[in-house]
Amino acid sequence: MGEPTFGILGPLQVRAHGAPVRINGAKPRALLATLLLQPNGFVSLDLLTEVLWPGGAPRSAVANVRTYVRTLRRLIPPAAVEGLRTMPSGYSLDAAPGEVDMLLFEQQLAAARAARDRGEDAVALRFYESALELWRGGVLQDVPSSVVWDPAITRMEGLRSVAVDECLELRLRLGDYAHLVSGLRSRLTENPLREDLWRMLVHALHDAGRSAEARSAYAEAERVIAAELGIEPSAPLRAIGAEVNGYAGRRHAAVPASVCQLPMDIPDFTGRAVEVADLEELLSTAARQPVVAAVSGPPGAGKSTLAVHVAHRVRDTFPDGQLFVDLAGTSECPREPADVLAEMLRGLGVIDSAIPGETGERAAMFRSRLAQRRFLVVLDDALDSTQVSPLLPGTGGSAVLVSSRRRMPGLPAHHCPLGLMRPDDARALFGTIVGADRLLRERSDADRVLAECGSLPLAVRIAAARLVNRPGWSVGTLADSLHDERGRLGAVRSGELEVRAGAELSYRHLPEPAAHAFRTFGDLPDDAVPGWLVAVATGCDGEAGGLETLVDEHLVEVVGRDDLGLNRYRMHGLLRSYARELTLTGNQEDRLRRRLQVIDALIALARSANAAMPTRFLGVLGGPDEHGPPDGPAHAVAAKVRARPVDWFESEHRNLMAAVDAAVRLGRTDRAADLAIELAGFFDMRGYYGDWLRTHRLVLDAMPRHEDVRAAALLRNLGQLHLYQDRYADALTSFDRSRALFAELGHPTGEAVAAVGAGSVHRVVGDLRAALGAFTAALQDFTAAGDPHGEAVARNAIASVWLERKEPEAAAGWLRGALELSRGVGDRHREAQVRRRVAVLHELRGEARSARGELERALRIFDELADLHCAAYVQQSIAELCLRQGDAREASALLIGALAVQQQLGDRRAEARVAGLLGELHDATGRKQTARHYFHRSLATWHRLGLPDEAGLVDARLRSMR
């Protein structure tokens, strides 16, 4: 096949009969480039004018475009002229794959992947080589760039990068070491910090018998990573290094554990041997494509138990980890895919603030995170395929195990229907619980019990536990009781009825403390709960007295311990439904009182936790503490909560969120507001911005009027969240509303806190006069209220304005006062914030060494407080200082680390700034391709933020590189 007519994978190229055709004029070339980036697609006149005249189109723009099109028709080959079609309000360039190198590249890449997936590696390698040979440089590298092209160029460069990696992996598998080594070294020149490439290089050299070079390559990898990032290589790279150096197993024995969210396996799992073996074999086949297995069956069939048991058995097959999510498909409120995706992304290490808002974007991020990894995802109690489909990986070697009452034919899964247990398996399960000897002695009565239980595992477990806890009963007595119970309930119609029969039988024989605890679970959150919370709900003084009885009866299961070392308990969904029925028939006043007791206990403990948090959140409590410190069972765990406040918030995260929802549903918006406000500091520290927004909006919307301190505090917190997420207009509106409301209420501290937020918005958008006015007003209110912490905040903020104005001497006094106040009240976090500004002061004075010292002091404090976000800002500041002093190596390491954290936290402004700095650094050191990559990333982020001035500066840098 000859060369394509049109080429954009490098300098713009047009060929006719094998000879190049020269296209003169910048604008005709830009117009042709735009059409070629969207072949066979409509390109509007509006888009073309934006490309040709980015600063604003002249009145003659449309006529000029037509002139340029006529010019192209005269120059391009006749066969291609037919494809250049004029359409209403635009144009289209129709082309076959062989006519445009971009289309041909995508076609051959698809053929390579198809051959690879069929196991035809040699054929695949030829297609990869053919595809990559089409690239002659960067996309349209000799045409002045346009912002309009960025998405298409980024996509193509990404495809090329992935194709190169896939080709290298294929060469490694084929043992094509000569080409592989040269390709890897070339790739590492552009990406010297990619450990997977270093790992392949060391592996290839070692397998090729070039042991000395392999050891040398590993030593070079260690040096580069240490110099650029200040860290040692990761465990996989260290492992291959240990192998080639001959000390495998003697160095770095401690390997970080992978993620494992699986619940505890059932120790006495019995039966289902065929299903277990089939599922194990199926899940283990996940390699280049994900595998999905769906277990379906009637209630009580043991679907969840089987899924967890199999997941534990195949853990070693999925070394990157195991995720587990209860989809609550049989509950009153099945979980939304968007919320589940957010939870799984957190499990994969994504901070909440970096999680997109839309379900589709979250699903795309989830698929991307799993694309190169081997995870097992267990989705328990699914409602239907609509709920499950967004939760599936798209590529890679992961597997998904789904359990559901419904068979989901619309799901791309291998279906495993689960019916009743085989009689022998059911008998073995019963004997495991009651004892083999007893089963042997009373076999005929045991068969009656199993018949009454319908051979459903859950029903068998409940019945057997009932018998174990009644030593005076015979197996025949149990069988008679079950028969009577079923007769009272009527004919058996489904698995639920067998379970209900067992549950009612067990419940009627429970002692009152245990029966009370059983009913209580009907009102508790669906998530696992600690024992003290059950005790609060039951009104017990200590741990719920009947809880252990419920565990013994198999009515509640222990699902592990939380970070405070406390047991967590969960009730099966079917049993919870029965418990909820019981609560609805009881005294509703008592029920309301118990539910409010739970909410009040959570509020009290949240206040205790906040008082001990390592950082002080700049906020205002919703109102006076009307319920006092925690008492009863909550008081018993208060000391543990104060000792590990962040861990407690994390353990109770979902229960706290559920409590806010419950308080709103009960019409107690005051309690809902108090709890939401107490959660804001935790959400801020951990970056759980989605939960922060949901709780505050939920409570504000539920309030009949916004007229008290709680509403003002919620509005201020909402303004802070908007500021973090670069929604400046929304932030200023919330801060101003909060400030006005605090002023009406005569609350000077609240007014000052809101004023600091408003001033921060003004400073960020460049209105320094308004910012100084807001900060000065805040200082006056903090001083009048006798709040030294607030004074430190305001003084530091005022100094920031003078520093923005490049007037260090005007800022000096404010910073001295802020530092003294911060240290006086023992607020180390605020002290570190002030030291960051002191560093700016020193640099403006030309005192680089002093500036570096202050930044390092601030970084140490943030590291000790585990504040990743603020530490990343300081890293960025140190990197910029190094960059200005010409220390590119240290600047690169610091900036790469800061960029990773800012991306994880979702701080897009900081991400754009750091990416731009990395672009400048690599441009200055001659790494042009890497520089363009970072500049494009920075440019796209500034555009998403709607900041054209910053975007224009980056675009100018890209144009200068072209």
Side-chain angles (χ1 to χ4, degrees):
M1 181 184 291
E3 288 193 62
T5 303
F6 299 104
I8 63 173
L9 303 181
L12 179 64
Q13 178 177 279
V14 181
R15 301 184 70 84
H17 307 296
V21 175
R22 185 174 179 81
I23 305 293
N24 294 315
K27 286 188 166 44
R29 287 168 61 80
L31 189 150
L32 177 59
T34 307
L35 294 171
L36 289 170
L37 283 169
Q38 299 185 51
N40 305 308
F42 173 72
V43 179
S44 69
L45 277 169
D46 289 342
L47 187 141
L48 288 171
T49 55
E50 185 178 349
V51 172
L52 300 178
W53 296 280
R59 291 184 179 180
S60 60
V62 174
N64 291 349
V65 169
R66 289 174 181 151
T67 299
Y68 302 145
V69 171
R70 284 196 296 273
T71 299
L72 290 176
R73 289 185 190 277
R74 287 198 307 271
L75 296 175
I76 63 178
V81 170
E82 296 179 7
L84 180 53
R85 296 188 295 119
T86 301
M87 305 173 70
S89 303
Y91 297 89
S92 172
L93 180 58
D94 296 339
E99 295 178 314
V100 182
D101 61 359
M102 179 179 73
L103 296 178
L104 185 57
F105 167 75
E106 292 183 275
Q107 183 186 61
Q108 292 183 341
L109 178 58
R113 289 171 172 170
R116 178 199 63 188
D117 292 342
R118 292 194 303 269
E120 301 171 1
D121 289 351
V123 175
L125 182 59
R126 289 196 295 273
F127 277 118
Y128 274 118
E129 290 173 339
S130 178
L132 292 169
E133 284 171 359
L134 293 167
W135 285 80
R136 298 166 286 110
V139 178
L140 295 169
Q141 67 180 40
D142 65 338
V143 182
S145 65
S146 169
V147 171
V148 172
W149 299 344
D150 285 342
I153 289 175
T154 301
R155 185 181 78 85
M156 288 310 300
E157 290 179 344
L159 279 176
R160 179 193 190 185
S161 179
V162 171
V164 170
D165 289 348
E166 291 174 353
C167 186
L168 292 172
E169 290 174 1
L170 200 60
R171 290 188 189 280
L172 180 62
R173 198 158 67 238
L174 289 168
D176 183 11
Y177 298 124
H179 290 96
L180 175 61
V181 169
S182 61
L184 284 167
R185 290 203 179 278
S186 174
R187 198 87 168 109
L188 282 164
T189 301
E190 296 179 358
N191 301 280
L193 299 178
R194 281 193 50 185
E195 293 196 20
D196 58 331
L197 298 179
W198 283 112
R199 195 165 63 246
M200 288 174 67
L201 177 61
V202 176
H203 190 177
L205 290 168
H206 184 57
D207 283 1
R210 297 155 65 178
S211 300
E213 291 179 71
R215 289 192 291 272
S216 176
Y218 178 73
E220 184 183 356
E222 278 194 318
R223 283 196 302 273
V224 170
I225 292 167
E228 294 286 328
L229 302 180
I231 59 175
E232 65 178 355
S234 65
L237 181 52
R238 292 201 309 269
I240 188 67
E243 183 179 342
V244 300
N245 282 287
Y247 50 76
R250 297 203 300 270
R251 184 177 175 213
H252 298 295
V255 177
S258 61
V259 177
C260 182
Q261 299 178 344
L262 297 178
M264 188 183 302
D265 193 9
I266 298 296
D268 57 357
F269 186 91
T270 304
R272 304 294 194 189
V274 173
E275 290 87 350
V276 169
D278 288 347
L279 287 170
E280 279 191 64
E281 181 181 359
L282 177 62
L283 295 174
S284 299
T285 62
R288 292 194 174 276
Q289 292 295 324
V291 170
V292 182
V295 179
S296 59
K303 301 178 294 295
S304 299
T305 303
L306 175 66
V308 171
H309 181 67
V310 170
H312 276 283
R313 289 177 64 91
V314 298
R315 275 185 61 185
D316 292 343
T317 308
F318 301 95
D320 290 314
Q322 303 83 39
L323 301 175
F324 179 89
V325 184
D326 181 356
L327 298 180
T330 56
S331 71
E332 294 178 350
C333 300
R335 299 190 64 190
E336 293 294 330
D339 294 337
V340 175
L341 284 164
E343 179 180 329
M344 291 198 293
L345 286 169
R346 291 188 196 109
L348 294 171
V350 182
I351 297 297
D352 195 77
S353 57
I355 296 173
E358 297 298 322
T359 304
E361 293 177 353
R362 290 182 179 184
M365 178 181 281
F366 178 67
R367 291 193 296 270
S368 176
R369 289 275 169 158
L370 262 59
Q372 303 297 326
R373 305 167 80 182
R374 299 206 70 189
F375 265 88
L376 175 63
V377 182
V378 181
L379 303 174
D380 187 37
D381 191 17
L383 175 64
D384 52 30
S385 57
T386 303
Q387 185 189 36
V388 173
S389 293
L391 314 179
L392 303 180
T395 58
S398 294
V400 182
L401 183 54
V402 187
S403 74
S404 175
R405 290 193 192 180
R406 297 180 176 89
R407 191 178 185 279
M408 296 174 282
L411 204 64
H414 300 269
H415 295 278
C416 175
L418 196 66
L420 303 180
M421 291 188 84
R422 298 172 186 83
D424 288 347
D425 288 346
R427 190 177 297 108
L429 174 60
F430 187 74
T432 299
I433 299 171
V434 305
D437 293 341
R438 194 169 190 181
L439 177 64
L440 188 60
R441 289 196 309 269
E442 304 179 69
R443 183 183 178 100
S444 60
D445 286 331
D447 288 343
R448 288 174 55 208
V449 169
L450 297 177
E452 298 295 343
C453 291
S455 291
L456 281 170
L458 180 59
V460 172
R461 282 188 176 278
I462 292 173
R466 177 77 268 150
L467 185 61
V468 169
N469 291 307
R470 289 291 179 274
W473 280 18
S474 66
V475 178
T477 305
L478 175 63
D480 292 340
S481 299
L482 281 172
H483 180 74
D484 292 343
E485 190 70 23
R486 281 165 57 102
R488 191 173 68 81
L489 289 170
V492 177
R493 294 185 302 275
S494 70
E496 286 189 53
L497 212 50
E498 281 91 344
V499 177
R500 181 186 175 90
E504 289 209 16
L505 174 65
S506 296
Y507 174 73
R508 285 194 294 109
H509 290 89
L510 288 174
E512 180 48 32
H516 186 28
F518 182 90
R519 295 192 298 272
T520 297
F521 269 90
D523 278 330
L524 290 175
D526 288 344
D527 201 38
V529 295
W532 66 264
L533 194 62
V534 181
V536 169
T538 57
C540 298
D541 292 334
E543 188 94 346
L547 194 52
E548 291 307 316
T549 302
L550 297 181
V551 173
D552 293 340
E553 296 274 355
H554 284 271
L555 299 174
V556 167
E557 61 178 339
V558 179
V559 293
R561 289 178 177 269
D562 58 28
D563 291 334
L564 272 65
L566 304 174
N567 281 342
R568 312 288 292 189
Y569 300 87
R570 179 185 283 123
M571 179 178 279
H572 190 282
L574 292 175
L575 301 179
R576 187 186 297 278
S577 297
Y578 178 53
R580 190 170 290 121
E581 289 179 24
L582 295 174
T583 63
L584 293 173
T585 61
N587 186 303
Q588 294 306 296
E589 290 185 6
D590 288 345
R591 183 189 180 205
L592 175 61
R593 176 178 51 78
R594 290 196 304 270
R595 297 176 78 182
L596 294 179
Q597 282 174 184
V598 170
I599 295 169
D600 290 343
L602 289 170
I603 293 172
L605 283 176
R607 288 194 171 116
S608 295
N610 268 330
M613 288 285 274
T615 61
R616 177 171 172 178
F617 180 64
L618 185 63
V620 178
L621 292 180
D625 190 346
E626 300 167 359
H627 311 289
D631 55 11
H635 177 74
V637 298
K640 289 187 176 183
V641 171
R642 287 191 294 270
R644 304 181 67 176
V646 180
D647 289 337
W648 180 80
F649 272 123
E650 198 67 69
S651 295
E652 303 301 340
H653 184 173
R654 288 182 61 181
N655 290 330
L656 289 162
M657 293 281 293
V660 174
D661 291 345
V664 169
R665 287 198 304 271
L666 293 173
R668 301 305 202 268
T669 54
D670 53 344
R671 286 175 164 92
D674 285 345
L675 188 50
I677 292 166
E678 293 296 337
L679 287 170
F682 166 66
F683 291 156
D684 186 20
M685 169 178 274
R686 285 298 172 92
Y688 290 156
Y689 293 168
D691 292 341
W692 187 348
L693 180 65
R694 193 172 80 79
T695 53
H696 281 54
R697 283 220 180 278
L698 176 69
V699 179
L700 282 168
D701 290 346
M703 286 180 163
R705 292 175 299 279
H706 297 164
E707 59 183 14
D708 62 3
V709 171
R710 293 182 173 95
L714 288 166
L715 287 167
R716 193 228 71 90
N717 291 349
L718 208 52
Q720 188 71 31
L721 177 59
H722 290 322
L723 176 58
Y724 285 162
Q725 298 186 318
D726 307 308
R727 296 193 294 267
Y728 302 123
D730 292 339
L732 192 57
T733 298
S734 292
F735 283 134
D736 286 346
R737 288 176 61 197
S738 172
R739 188 177 178 184
L741 184 50
F742 275 128
E744 290 177 16
L745 296 168
H747 197 304
T749 301
E751 189 177 353
V753 170
V756 169
S760 298
V761 178
H762 291 308
R763 179 175 58 78
V764 169
V765 300
D767 190 349
L768 299 182
R769 176 177 294 181
L772 188 59
F775 293 148
T776 303
L779 177 61
Q780 293 170 352
D781 285 336
F782 281 132
T783 304
D787 183 348
H789 177 270
E791 286 187 61
V793 172
R795 288 178 179 276
N796 192 39
I798 291 170
S800 73
V801 176
W802 293 112
L803 293 173
E804 289 276 352
R805 290 178 170 176
K806 311 300 183 188
E807 298 184 41
E809 301 314 317
W814 296 108
L815 289 172
R816 279 195 301 272
L819 193 58
E820 290 172 5
L821 286 165
S822 298
R823 299 181 72 178
V825 297
D827 188 342
R828 300 188 68 232
H829 194 274
R830 184 58 50 188
E831 177 190 343
Q833 295 282 19
V834 176
R835 290 192 182 280
R836 284 182 60 203
R837 296 264 162 73
V838 174
V840 177
L841 181 144
H842 282 305
E843 191 174 7
L844 288 173
R845 287 174 171 173
E847 301 163 353
R849 181 173 295 180
S850 297
R852 177 68 180 264
E854 290 294 340
L855 288 172
E856 288 180 346
R857 291 187 189 97
L859 185 59
R860 280 197 297 272
I861 293 173
F862 287 136
D863 283 341
E864 290 170 11
L865 297 175
D867 189 332
L868 293 178
H869 203 169
C870 288
Y873 278 126
V874 178
Q875 274 187 263
Q876 177 183 338
S877 298
I878 297 175
E880 292 183 59
L881 190 62
C882 292
L883 202 56
R884 287 188 287 272
Q885 293 178 311
D887 188 349
R889 174 170 290 187
E890 185 171 7
S892 175
L894 290 165
L895 287 173
I896 288 171
L899 182 63
V901 175
Q902 302 298 9
Q903 183 183 14
Q904 187 182 38
L905 292 169
D907 190 333
R908 293 177 295 169
R909 175 181 282 270
E911 183 182 345
R913 170 74 176 153
V914 175
L917 289 170
L918 280 164
E920 293 174 12
L921 185 152
H922 287 290
D923 189 22
T925 54
R927 294 175 178 171
K928 302 299 182 183
Q929 183 66 23
T930 305
R932 279 194 291 271
H933 164 74
Y934 282 118
F935 279 137
H936 276 297
R937 179 171 177 175
S938 176
L939 182 65
T941 307
W942 286 126
H943 276 301
R944 285 198 300 272
L945 290 172
L947 296 172
D949 292 343
E950 287 82 352
L953 294 173
V954 180
D955 190 39
R957 290 300 304 269
L958 276 168
R959 288 174 182 274
S960 69
M961 292 181 69
R962 294 287 176 93

